[in-house]
Amino acid sequence: MLLKVEINRKGEECPFKNEKIAFELNRGECFWLKGPSGAGKTSIAGDLAKLAPLRGAEVKVDWGEPLAENEKPIGILFQQGVIVDSLNLRENIILSLKAANKDCSEEKVQHLLESVDLSENDGLKMPNHLSGGMLRRGALSLTFAQEKKVIILDEPFVGLDRQTSEEVIQVIQSLKEKGVSFLLITHQIEHSDQIVTPGKEFELEPTPPPEVSHLKKRVSRSNLWARTWIKIFDYLGISIPLIICAFFAAGFATSMLFAEMLKDTDMKTLMDQFQAEHTSLLFKLFGHEIEKIAARYLPGIREKIYALTMSRGFVIEMGPLLTGLLLAGRIGGSYSGEVGMMQATNQNKLLETLGQSPRAWTLWPSGIAAFIAAPILTGIGTYIALLSGGWVSTWEKYALFPSMSAYWKAVNHNTFNYSGFWNYPPVVNVYRSLGFMVIILLVAEVAGRIKRDLQPRDVPKSITWAVVFASLFIILSDWMFSQVYQSSGL
């Protein structure tokens, strides 16, 4: 006996209603785990391969042969075949050999390719250049390379024509002859009969599915507004902690730096410097009066300068810019990743065949949500930064303001006391954040959709390009806006 498996049902979460599943495998045998979709076949396979525990059941596995330390004796051939997308087949085999501390010579790699009826040229192909049958056989070579004792075949014939299925069957039969054992999961009886060991099969009975809630029946994500609300929660709700933390840190750092600079303008420092530079009789006669005048007006001047810098700096300049840079990664990366994955998995092509614009499908809900989230997040961040500045200004170390109410009075005067609509700081705060959001979405849209035949391995690259270029364009547009703002006298 190579392997003995016993599974006992323990709870309602278990996907099958069989109270007990038990089977044994010897070397070179193939056991067929049967049952309709949703009966838990793949879940059992995942537990045996130590990928995820089987819910609502207890699984016991006994090996009739001793296992090496840290050995993973069970491999799995996933549905449709899966290999590392960023490596060609040869590199995948080498990766598999290295992970198992096996010989990685060219002869070994070539032997493994030949064992699954693939050529040296096939080994140089990327996954998207392999046919379905070649991909299944290539995936088999990875588990065979590690000398797995048992290989789980999860729907190995799905999507294959009869000739390609026969090629895969021949490879499986040749591996059985070499002592490899298999656990087969498939609905295709005509293929299973050729590789399953007689008497080695078990049929699962599915647990009745829970009743679908009325809410799920009523709310459909095919509806634009349902998708938009999901995006609003994503862009706004999930981003708030990031904005709060970033602006809290930025507000404290900026206000403390500026408070330190203003601290150097205290009366004693100024008078000492003035006296060192002016030794005339006039200063000796009137220096005390000058000191009294400066002592009376200098604190108010410092208050006005500090309040003006904090209000104008964050409301008009730093608030929108910092939010834009943060959202370039948060929203731009999310949107380009979504578009890229839909491109790589042919979902965009499916939408086109259904008469639905792929761009409208993603851009409308994301755009609406982003235009709602951006000014709100910018406003929250700006308030947090100004609040941090208030705490610093009333700190005993700096004592720029006697109280928080005095600080907010000065900040509000500089923030809200403007005559023109377009130079009204809260309005500037809003339209700059919206402008940056237009840049983020346009760049992300181009990055995710520019390559029509995008592969899954290219999606992280499209996200990177979206974030980097959006950030660069935001910085450039911020500089241009500042120039226009200053030259126009806004």
Side-chain angles (χ1 to χ4, degrees):
M1 180 197 73
L2 172 65
L3 170 67
K4 181 179 180 181
V5 176
E6 183 177 310
I7 305 173
N8 294 292
R9 190 174 190 273
K10 294 294 183 180
E12 293 300 321
E13 288 186 326
C14 187
F16 51 83
K17 63 180 182 180
N18 308 74
E19 292 300 324
K20 182 177 180 180
I21 302 169
F23 62 87
E24 294 183 2
L25 263 178
N26 295 311
R27 282 197 168 274
E29 291 185 338
C30 179
F31 186 90
W32 184 12
L33 193 59
K34 303 164 64 176
S37 298
K41 301 185 296 298
T42 300
S43 298
I44 291 174
D47 189 288
L48 294 177
K50 302 301 182 186
L51 299 178
L54 177 61
R55 294 179 302 168
E58 181 184 48
V59 181
K60 296 179 181 179
V61 177
D62 293 321
W63 291 95
E65 300 178 2
L67 301 178
E69 186 178 359
N70 298 324
E71 181 182 359
K72 295 184 177 180
I74 298 180
I76 184 168
L77 176 65
F78 296 94
Q79 293 185 27
Q80 300 180 353
V82 177
I83 62 177
V84 179
D85 186 62
S86 58
L87 306 176
N88 62 33
L89 178 55
R90 174 183 168 276
E91 292 167 333
N92 269 276
I93 294 175
I94 292 175
L95 174 66
S96 183
L97 290 169
K98 285 183 176 179
N101 295 316
K102 304 291 184 183
D103 174 28
C104 299
S105 65
E106 287 296 327
E107 292 77 10
K108 180 66 174 179
V109 173
Q110 186 59 35
H111 169 72
L112 288 167
L113 287 169
E114 292 173 353
S115 69
V116 292
D117 290 337
L118 293 174
S119 66
E120 182 179 4
N121 186 55
D122 294 330
L124 300 176
K125 294 179 179 179
M126 296 299 289
N128 59 302
H129 295 146
L130 296 169
S131 67
M134 294 167 69
L135 190 59
R136 309 286 170 88
R137 285 180 279 154
L140 266 177
S141 70
L142 302 190
T143 56
F144 186 46
Q146 294 195 332
E147 299 178 4
K148 300 291 188 183
K149 292 180 169 59
V150 176
I151 298 176
I152 298 172
L153 305 172
D154 191 358
E155 298 291 356
F157 309 112
V158 169
L160 302 182
D161 57 37
R162 186 171 187 83
Q163 180 179 347
T164 307
S165 298
E166 289 294 336
E167 293 172 357
V168 174
I169 288 171
Q170 290 176 11
V171 171
I172 294 172
Q173 289 174 333
S174 67
L175 293 176
K176 285 177 61 182
E177 292 172 0
K178 296 175 182 177
V180 180
S181 301
F182 292 91
L183 174 62
L184 175 65
I185 298 172
T186 184
H187 296 96
Q188 294 169 292
I189 300 175
E190 68 277 13
H191 299 313
S192 59
D193 289 343
Q194 301 180 57
I195 55 176
V196 173
T197 303
K200 294 287 184 176
E201 60 183 58
F202 186 92
E203 184 158 4
L204 298 174
E205 298 178 31
T207 299
E211 184 179 350
V212 179
S213 69
H214 293 294
L215 179 63
K216 290 185 176 180
K217 291 179 182 178
R218 287 197 302 266
V219 179
S220 172
R221 278 172 287 190
S222 62
N223 180 275
L224 169 64
W225 294 110
R227 301 200 311 279
T228 301
W229 277 111
I230 293 172
K231 289 294 182 184
I232 291 173
F233 174 76
D234 181 8
Y235 292 171
L236 180 59
I238 299 178
S239 300
I240 285 177
L242 172 66
I243 293 295
I244 291 175
C245 292
F247 274 89
F248 186 79
F252 255 105
T254 303
S255 57
M256 286 182 68
L257 176 63
F258 193 60
E260 285 286 350
M261 294 171 61
L262 290 176
K263 184 181 177 182
D264 293 336
T265 63
D266 59 28
M267 281 306 307
K268 185 178 184 307
T269 303
L270 289 176
M271 293 306 296
D272 289 346
Q273 181 180 353
F274 194 79
Q275 186 173 7
E277 296 176 359
H278 301 81
T279 58
S280 64
L281 178 63
L282 184 64
F283 180 79
K284 293 179 180 179
L285 293 174
F286 297 102
H288 183 66
E289 293 298 322
I290 295 173
E291 184 176 354
K292 285 169 58 178
I293 294 172
R296 178 180 179 183
Y297 291 105
L298 186 60
I301 294 172
R302 292 166 63 191
E303 287 181 3
K304 290 181 179 180
I305 293 174
Y306 184 85
L308 179 64
T309 302
M310 291 301 297
S311 61
R312 294 289 295 273
F314 276 98
V315 176
I316 293 177
E317 193 67 45
M318 289 185 62
L321 176 60
L322 181 55
T323 304
L325 293 175
L326 290 171
L327 296 186
R330 175 65 189 87
I331 294 180
S334 173
Y335 182 75
S336 62
E338 178 186 6
V339 173
M341 282 305 300
M342 291 184 69
Q343 198 84 326
T345 55
N346 293 320
Q347 294 179 60
N348 288 330
K349 294 179 180 178
L350 171 63
L351 288 171
E352 288 180 356
T353 63
L354 297 175
Q356 172 73 51
S357 167
R359 181 170 286 109
W361 178 266
T362 52
L363 190 56
W364 273 109
S366 296
I368 294 171
F371 287 163
I372 292 173
I376 294 175
L377 291 172
T378 305
I380 291 173
T382 301
Y383 174 77
I384 293 297
L386 293 177
L387 182 63
S388 301
W391 289 334
V392 171
S393 70
T394 57
W395 191 6
E396 185 179 355
K397 179 180 179 180
Y398 303 112
L400 293 171
F401 286 90
S403 64
M404 283 292 287
S405 60
Y407 166 78
W408 280 117
K409 183 178 180 180
V411 168
N412 290 339
H413 175 77
N414 288 290
T415 302
F416 299 108
N417 190 22
Y418 281 77
S419 56
F421 177 78
W422 293 107
N423 65 347
Y424 189 50
V427 174
V428 177
N429 190 276
V430 170
Y431 67 67
R432 289 189 77 171
S433 66
L434 292 177
F436 293 155
M437 189 50 57
V438 171
I439 293 173
I440 291 170
L441 289 176
L442 287 178
V443 173
E445 173 72 20
V446 172
R449 216 180 293 274
I450 191 170
K451 193 172 182 180
R452 186 168 178 81
D453 294 321
L454 193 74
Q455 297 300 312
R457 64 176 176 272
D458 298 322
V459 174
K461 189 184 299 183
S462 71
I463 295 174
T464 300
W465 282 113
V467 174
V468 171
F469 275 97
S471 300
L472 290 175
F473 285 137
I474 286 172
I475 294 171
L476 177 62
S477 63
D478 179 75
W479 175 82
M480 294 173 63
F481 177 86
S482 297
Q483 298 303 306
V484 173
Y485 189 88
Q486 294 173 13
S487 62
S488 63
L490 291 176

